[in-house]
Amino acid sequence: MAALLALAYAFRLEAIAWHIWHAQKTKPHHALHLKHYVVEHEAVKIPGVGSDLSDLSYNHETHTLFTVSNQKPLIVELSLTGEVLRTIKVTGIDDMEGIAHISGHRFALLNEAKHSVVLAEIEDDVHEVDVSHAPSLTLAMYANDNKGFEGIAWDQQRQRLLVAKERSPKRVIAIQGFVDAVPGQPVAIHIEKLSETASCGLRDLSAVTYEPNSGHVLLLSDDSRMVAEYDAEGRLLDTLALWRGFQGLHRSVPQAEGLAIGPDKRIYVISEPNLFYVFKPGPGKHI
């Protein structure tokens, strides 16, 4: 029995069954209907930026994507088809695991080694940035956990950062009051854990993104090879499978690390070793 369970776990059979079961359920009209999504660009290689790209953020002002590498460390700006537009060398950060565009030139960076969030100003034409003295917030309550933060996103409607913790325990936390804090003024920061159901069924959390029109949260799990959509109450609505044979994929996504969604509802995924994917809503679904 133990051998059978181990085999089922190794082949992610419980995740596949979970996905198929939810695919049969009727979805609310305001859901994204992830089960209908099909891959549009598959395993596009991103050269010349190391081999450990992590996280992904959609800039709604430039309509480009931003990802990070902690190997160099670098911030990489990408086109919506995965072309490298710009690389930005970053100093003053130890273990950069995430990035979220806030507005204008403001970005939030995730420092996994220090369990902290750093606010950075990244101008349009720069290729190097020093964040040594940038505003930062340390989440000390998670400093002794076994696994750190893996993804960050900005919720413009509620003016809050969403941070995904990989596991032990896996959870999504919301941070308000940090981004809009005024230097030299009293700061009131509110941190809360999102509903427990926001990680139900997923083995781990690799990234988080926010869909502003519906107010839904999308979570990415590398171990489950899945994107899951949750409503504001933490109820699971649908899943998108990252395995060969699902969503039109010819090969499974090897190690998904970054997730973003655009205004046309296209979903962008980045995977080690630096592979880029785009999924679009299927026939009959408006984009």
Side-chain angles (χ1 to χ4, degrees), residues 32 58 60 209-211 218 259-263 265-268:
L32 292 170
Y58 192 102
H60 288 261
T209 194
Y210 181 78
E211 205 292 297
L218 275 68
L259 175 70
I261 187 168
K265 305 299 187 294
R266 278 178 167 83
I267 290 174
Y268 303 88

Side-chain angles (χ1 to χ4, degrees), residues 136-166:
S136 65
L137 173 68
T138 300
L139 302 168
M141 72 283 283
Y142 299 110
N144 295 321
D145 287 347
N146 295 329
K147 295 292 183 178
F149 300 118
E150 288 291 322
I152 188 169
W154 175 242
D155 175 353
Q156 179 70 32
Q157 291 179 330
R158 294 181 176 88
Q159 294 288 292
R160 62 182 184 175
L161 288 167
L162 302 177
V163 180
K165 188 175 180 302
E166 184 181 6

Side-chain angles (χ1 to χ4, degrees), residues 70-71 73 93-98 110-114 149:
N70 63 14
Q71 205 174 56
I93 194 166
D94 300 320
D95 186 13
M96 191 164 50
E97 281 291 339
L110 200 53
N111 187 337
E112 185 180 24
K114 293 188 175 179
F149 300 118

Side-chain angles (χ1 to χ4, degrees), residues 16-219:
I16 294 173
W18 194 60
H19 167 74
I20 293 173
W21 181 65
H22 279 284
Q24 308 307 314
K25 299 176 68 175
T26 302
K27 305 298 182 291
H29 73 280
H30 56 283
L32 292 170
H33 299 275
L34 296 180
K35 68 178 180 181
H36 295 296
Y37 272 63
V38 293
V39 66
E40 184 177 29
H41 299 285
E42 180 175 357
V44 177
K45 294 182 179 179
I46 302 175
V49 291
S51 60
D52 66 337
L53 293 181
S54 180
D55 211 12
L56 205 55
S57 181
Y58 192 102
N59 186 325
H60 288 261
E61 298 171 24
T62 61
H63 298 290
T64 58
L65 297 160
F66 286 80
T67 183
V68 298
S69 168
N70 63 14
Q71 205 174 56
K72 301 233 174 167
L74 287 175
I75 294 171
V76 183
E77 185 175 8
L78 301 171
S79 74
L80 299 184
T81 54
E83 299 168 304
V84 175
L85 302 177
R86 177 172 52 144
T87 59
I88 305 160
K89 181 182 177 182
V90 184
T91 56
I93 194 166
D94 300 320
D95 186 13
M96 191 164 50
E97 281 291 339
I99 185 168
H101 177 249
I102 297 171
S103 64
H105 300 128
R106 299 190 80 196
F107 291 79
L109 305 178
L110 200 53
N111 187 337
E112 185 180 24
K114 293 188 175 179
H115 296 79
S116 64
V117 180
V118 179
L119 294 182
E121 293 284 336
I122 304 173
E123 302 289 337
D124 291 338
D125 56 350
V126 303
H127 290 272
E128 187 168 349
V129 62
D130 185 357
V131 298
S132 301
H133 304 291
S136 65
L137 173 68
T138 300
L139 302 168
M141 72 283 283
Y142 299 110
N144 295 321
D145 287 347
N146 295 329
K147 295 292 183 178
F149 300 118
E150 288 291 322
I152 188 169
W154 175 242
D155 175 353
Q156 179 70 32
Q157 291 179 330
R158 294 181 176 88
Q159 294 288 292
R160 62 182 184 175
L161 288 167
L162 302 177
V163 180
K165 188 175 180 302
E166 184 181 6
R167 57 171 58 128
S168 303
K170 61 181 184 288
R171 61 181 45 161
V172 179
I173 61 172
I175 305 169
Q176 290 179 296
F178 172 56
V179 168
D180 52 4
V182 179
Q185 298 295 319
V187 178
I189 294 176
H190 179 68
I191 300 175
E192 66 174 335
K193 178 178 64 175
L194 296 193
S195 173
E196 288 286 359
T197 56
S199 61
C200 177
L202 299 176
R203 291 186 181 184
D204 69 343
L205 300 181
S206 301
V208 58
T209 194
Y210 181 78
E211 205 292 297
N213 292 322
S214 63
H216 295 171
V217 172
L218 275 68
L219 297 177

